[in-house]
Amino acid sequence: MKRLSACLAGLLIASVSYAESPAASPSGETANQTTINLAEVPASIDTSPMPIQVVQAYPNLRISRPVMITGCGDGSGRLFVASQTGEIYFFDESDEQVEEPELFIDLSDRVSYKDRENEEGFLGLAFHPNFADNGKFYVYYTGSSRPHVSFLSEFQTSKGSQNKLGDPASERQLMQIQQPFWNHNGGTITFGPDGYLYVGLGDGGKANDPLKSAQDLSKLLGSILRIDVDKQDGDLPYGIPEDNPLVGRKNVWPEIYAWGVRNIWRMAFDKPTGRLWAADVGQNEWEEINLIRKGGNYGWSLREAAHKFTLGGSKGSSKKPSLIEPLIEYPHTDDMGKSVTGGLVYRGKATPQLDGYYLYGDYVSGRLWALKIDDKTNAVLENRPIAWHQLPVFTFGETESGEALMSTMMGGGQIFKFIAK
C-alpha cells in the first residue's frame, strides 16, 4: 500500500482503490445474533425501571464541555476530565466538594473547536497501561493548523513533575487523518487488555457515507484501528500487531481491526470479559449498540442497524453472514432518542445493583438505560430505563476505582454518578 507523507512520518491519507470485504465472519462467536428492537421488546426481556438514582458526583465543579472522564491507572486516585476545547484537568476522585480542578495540560492552542462544527475538537484521551512508570498518554483531536484534520498523538509528563503535569512540547504525532467533512470524527481511543491502542474513526461525515468509506478497506475512515504504541514498524511511528485481521492483504490498511461503522460515539472494554462495546450513531432512522469483534464488518452503509440502507446511492444489503448485526437498536422517536451515547459495563463497588450492566444513553432525548446480556450467548436479558433529568448525555467515564460517571455539557458542564435508590 502506498503511504503518503508530508514532513511527519505517520501522515495517513485514505487512498482511492477499492478493497472488497472478506466474507468470513469472525471466529469464535456467532456473527448474526438476533437484534433486539427496543420499540418492540420481547416479553422475556426485563424492561422494568432500574432502582437507581442519578446525582451530581461533584456538585460544585463545572468544566466546559466535559468530553472525556477517566482515571490514569497509577494508583493515585486522580480523576481526569478533558474539555472539548483542549484542556485536561484532574482532581482527587474522592473529593466530592471540589470546585477548582488542577490543570494537567493545555492543548487549546492546537485544538480546533467551533460550536457550529461541534463534532470536532478534543475527542479522545487514554493513558498508557504503564503510565505510572513511563508517563505516556495519548490524545485524539482536531488540529487548528488546517481544516478537518484529526491527530492521534503521544505525550509525556514533564520531567520532575511526578506525572502531575503533561508536557505540551512532548507531542509525538502518530497519525494525521484528513477528514472530508467536520462531522463523524469518532474519537474514542482506549487500550485493550492486549495492551494495544484501539482508535474509533467515523465515516468522514456529511450524510449517507458519500465517499463509501465504511466498506472500503483502502480507506481508514469508518473503522476501528488497532496499533502497538510500543513499537515502530519501518517508517511508521507505531507498530501493527501481527494478528490484525488484514495483515498481509494488498491494497488495505493493516491497522484496521473492524469496519463498517458510521460514527462510534464511545466504545469501552469490559475488563472481566474482554468484550469491546461500541455505540454507533445512526443516520435517519436507527441507533445501535454493537459488540466489536476482530475482523468484523458492521454493515454501514449497506445497512443501518438491522435494516437495509439505500439512501445516497447505496445499493443496500439484506441480512447476511458477512455483516454483523447489532446487539440492540432503537428507532428515531422523540421519546427514545436520535443519537446514541455509548457507555461502559459497571464493575464498581459502590452500587452493586449495577454490576455487569452496560450503561448507555441518548444525546437528544437524554434517556438512560442499563443493558444486560447472557455472558455465554450474548443474548439480551434486560434493558431497563434509569430515570433522571434527561439532559443531553454527552459522555460516560470511569474513576480509577471503577465507579461509572456520566457528563452533560449543560449547566456549564456537569458530572453525574449512579447510586441505589
Side-chain angles (χ1 to χ4, degrees), residues 93-122:
E93 69 172 70
S94 65
D95 184 4
E96 296 181 356
Q97 301 306 312
V98 61
E99 297 183 28
E100 296 293 334
E102 296 187 54
L103 182 65
F104 178 66
I105 192 171
D106 185 353
L107 301 177
S108 60
D109 62 339
R110 67 202 76 183
V111 172
S112 175
Y113 172 78
K114 303 172 184 176
D115 285 336
R116 293 186 178 182
E117 297 181 349
N118 64 4
E119 292 184 30
E120 294 188 332
F122 189 100

Side-chain angles (χ1 to χ4, degrees), residues 184-367:
H184 302 184
N185 282 253
T188 302
I189 58 175
T190 184
F191 281 95
D194 52 16
Y196 296 133
L197 184 65
Y198 292 70
V199 183
L201 300 180
D203 66 6
K206 208 169 185 180
N208 306 321
D209 193 10
L211 302 180
K212 300 297 179 276
S213 300
Q215 291 298 318
D216 187 345
L217 297 176
S218 72
K219 298 175 181 176
L220 284 175
L221 300 175
S223 67
I224 296 171
L225 312 182
R226 179 183 185 237
I227 63 173
D228 185 347
V229 299
D230 294 322
K231 290 178 59 180
Q232 294 189 17
D233 287 346
D235 62 351
L236 292 175
Y238 54 84
I240 297 173
E242 294 181 357
D243 64 339
N244 270 10
L246 302 182
V247 168
R249 293 186 57 187
K250 295 181 179 179
N251 300 319
V252 300
W253 288 93
E255 290 89 341
I256 293 175
Y257 179 80
W259 58 93
V261 297
R262 183 175 180 270
N263 188 35
I264 288 177
W265 186 241
R266 295 317 182 209
M267 60 185 188
F269 280 96
D270 177 27
K271 293 178 183 177
T273 66
R275 289 189 181 94
L276 178 55
W277 291 76
D280 201 6
V281 179
Q283 177 68 52
N284 294 330
E285 297 185 2
W286 297 95
E287 301 300 305
E288 64 184 272
I289 301 290
N290 291 288
L291 294 177
I292 302 299
R293 304 164 185 134
K294 183 171 69 173
N297 181 346
Y298 289 82
W300 178 252
S301 57
L302 298 173
R303 291 174 70 72
E304 181 182 9
H307 306 268
K308 188 173 183 178
F309 183 81
T310 58
L311 297 180
S314 172
K315 295 179 181 180
S317 175
S318 300
K319 181 177 179 179
K320 58 183 181 180
S322 60
L323 304 176
I324 297 179
E325 298 288 274
L327 192 65
I328 63 166
E329 63 179 9
Y330 62 87
H332 282 197
T333 65
D334 291 338
D335 178 52
M336 300 205 73
K338 299 179 181 180
S339 182
V340 68
T341 298
L344 48 85
V345 177
Y346 182 84
R347 298 295 181 183
K349 297 180 179 179
T351 313
Q353 296 89 337
L354 284 176
D355 184 57
Y357 283 87
Y358 175 74
L359 304 174
Y360 71 103
D362 190 276
Y363 179 83
V364 175
S365 68
R367 293 196 65 185

